[in-house]
Amino acid sequence: MEIYLDNSATTIVCPEAAEAAMQAMTDNYGNPSALHSNGVRAKQLLEQSRQKVAAVLGALPEEVLFSPSGTIANNTAVIAAVNMRRRRGSRIVTSSVEHPSVARVMDQLEAKGYDIVRLKPKLNGAVDPEEIMNAVNEKTILVSLMYVNNETGAINPVEYARKAIKAAHSVALVHVDAIQAFGKMSVKPRRIGADFLSISGHKIHAPKGVGALYVKKGLIPPCHIYGGGQENGLFSGTENMPAIAGFGAACEVLPDPLTSQREMKKLRRRLLTKLSKIPTILINSPSDALPNIINMSILGMPSQVLVNFFSERGICISAGSACKKGHRSEVLTQLGYTPIRIDSAIRVSLSRYTTEEDIDRFVEVAIEASNKLRYREF
């Protein structure tokens, strides 16, 4: 039986989400923009799903806009924020370990002349709050930080973005990439001072093909995708109703984040305790990381070889982020790890469906992999 430990890449669709998606495909299949009864029912489903997502965020339903993915939500937030504030300055504060859906947009903005300040993480993988405070000045127009790092699980102090903006008397907007955090910890955009906040369905047991962007009430971001004007004009195009319905259903059955984290911490502790006496296995995630994500290196074997080794034994893990496409991890590089350690890194990511038996079997295979290596000092 397959053991799935790659939940930061995607998750199995939960039964409630699958049922909701199927119903939207076979029963309530109308276009929400249509004015006939079938369309009206679809529109009602759309708004009910929006309310369910908004409830988890502690947001107003009208502040939640559905996007085709988390990547598109991130791109849209950054571009919209810059366009809204471009006449007030040119500085953008972010980190050097953002997801590519933010990092590559920053590269493009830098090429256009914007002053991109990329804060380097501390040894624990998170950005220093003091550096956020020091980086923001009156010319800053955007602070964009990820809540939880997708490779290491490090938790950033994103609430300091708003504090820094106030201290600098800046008009900057705040964007938080909460795609890995949402559903695993309490994510409340108002509490952390976010103007924009991105989330994704397939990270929380909803179908792929749907994300959402929180836009603080009162903001009117300009669109850069033109069409029928759906989702307040930010994401034109007929809504992916099966995925949206599944997203709403998945949100409705999310466990309490505190309870969920307690369970994840127990599984993480079990895994780390069993691996702690193996000298060739090093843990790259910080001790205070989100417990769902454990990045480690099994020294002496390349990451992709390890992924294949585990896969042959029925265990699915990843060689870091699923978005890296085989490139050396920028995140682990920024943390100062040696190339050998980086090149033998793997990511294990848990979900509420992960069991102690899954952890124990992973440990068995990790020990097997370690024993098959020629031990070298690194």
Side-chain angles (χ1 to χ4, degrees):
M1 183 176 177
E2 181 180 86
I3 295 174
Y4 187 78
L5 299 175
D6 195 18
N7 291 281
S8 289
T10 197
T11 55
I12 186 173
V13 175
C14 66
E16 295 85 355
E19 182 180 356
M22 179 61 73
Q23 186 176 28
M25 286 189 285
T26 60
D27 180 20
N28 195 354
Y29 53 83
N31 187 323
S33 297
L35 300 180
H36 48 63
S37 58
N38 193 300
V40 170
R41 289 197 303 274
K43 178 68 172 179
Q44 291 172 341
L45 177 61
L46 174 65
E47 298 310 321
Q48 289 166 0
S49 301
R50 196 187 312 280
Q51 289 170 7
K52 293 173 183 177
V53 177
V56 180
L57 291 170
L60 299 171
E62 58 265 33
E63 294 176 312
V64 174
L65 305 175
F66 290 113
S67 67
S69 69
T71 287
I72 292 176
N74 275 341
N75 271 248
T76 299
V78 172
I79 293 169
V82 169
N83 285 337
M84 291 174 73
R85 292 291 190 266
R86 62 187 177 192
R87 291 183 175 85
R88 306 295 295 273
S90 62
R91 173 168 285 203
I92 301 171
V93 177
T94 186
S95 84
S96 61
V97 291
E98 293 297 308
H99 186 274
S101 60
V102 169
R104 299 292 79 83
V105 179
M106 295 299 175
D107 293 343
Q108 293 297 313
L109 291 169
E110 189 170 44
K112 293 179 180 179
Y114 286 91
D115 173 24
I116 310 297
V117 179
R118 297 177 178 85
L119 303 177
K120 188 173 180 179
K122 300 180 296 180
L123 290 178
N124 71 348
V127 173
D128 189 331
E130 187 174 342
E131 291 194 12
I132 300 174
M133 299 296 293
N134 292 336
V136 176
N137 61 24
E138 61 180 9
K139 295 296 184 182
T140 304
I141 60 174
L142 172 65
V143 180
S144 179
L145 294 170
M146 68 192 325
Y147 210 154
V148 170
N149 187 271
N150 57 303
E151 292 191 44
T152 67
I155 302 172
N156 273 317
V158 293
E159 65 277 5
Y160 277 84
R162 178 57 60 195
K163 295 178 182 179
I165 289 167
K166 288 183 178 179
H169 304 289
S170 166
V171 298
L173 296 168
V174 176
H175 166 243
V176 174
D177 171 0
I179 289 169
Q180 291 293 345
F182 183 68
K184 290 95 173 176
M185 56 188 289
S186 178
V187 175
K188 307 295 183 186
R190 283 197 183 85
R191 189 187 66 209
I192 61 178
D195 297 297
F196 297 93
L197 185 138
S198 311
I199 59 176
S200 181
H202 74 108
K203 309 296 187 182
I204 64 158
H205 306 286
K208 300 172 186 65
V210 62
L213 180 63
Y214 164 87
V215 180
K216 184 179 178 181
K217 185 177 180 179
L219 291 179
I220 307 176
C223 70
H224 67 277
I225 299 172
Y226 297 95
Q230 289 88 346
E231 299 304 292
N232 285 5
L234 277 190
F235 305 109
S236 286
T238 300
E239 297 89 345
N240 182 355
M241 286 308 303
I244 288 172
F247 196 3
C251 283
E252 197 171 28
V253 297
L254 278 174
D256 172 71
L258 291 178
T259 302
S260 177
Q261 281 210 36
R262 280 197 297 269
E263 293 302 314
M264 292 303 105
K265 285 178 180 178
K266 285 170 56 179
L267 292 174
R268 173 190 169 99
R269 189 161 51 246
R270 186 182 187 93
L271 185 151
L272 296 185
T273 299
K274 288 176 177 289
L275 295 179
S276 62
K277 296 181 181 179
I278 304 172
T280 54
I281 298 181
L282 302 177
I283 305 303
N284 302 321
S285 291
S287 58
D288 60 351
L290 187 77
N292 303 63
I293 301 175
I294 305 119
N295 192 300
M296 68 181 72
S297 295
I298 302 180
L299 298 176
M301 187 181 287
S303 300
Q304 192 54 55
V305 174
L306 284 167
V307 170
N308 294 340
F309 187 89
F310 278 89
S311 183
E312 288 167 0
R313 288 151 182 80
I315 302 175
C316 298
I317 59 171
S318 73
S321 168
C323 302
K324 288 297 181 184
K325 298 294 185 184
H327 298 293
R328 179 173 285 165
S329 168
E330 296 175 16
V331 175
L332 299 184
T333 299
Q334 288 291 320
L335 294 178
Y337 292 132
T338 63
I340 291 175
R341 183 167 175 174
I342 296 170
D343 292 344
S344 60
I346 56 174
R347 182 186 65 183
V348 177
S349 45
L350 318 177
S351 81
R352 65 178 183 264
Y353 297 112
T354 305
T355 66
E356 291 184 351
E357 291 74 20
D358 295 339
I359 296 297
D360 292 346
R361 177 56 182 155
F362 169 83
V363 170
E364 288 178 7
V365 176
I367 293 172
E368 181 187 356
S370 181
N371 290 339
K372 285 181 178 292
L373 308 179
R374 291 182 179 178
Y375 181 75
R376 294 162 53 192
E377 292 290 343
F378 294 98

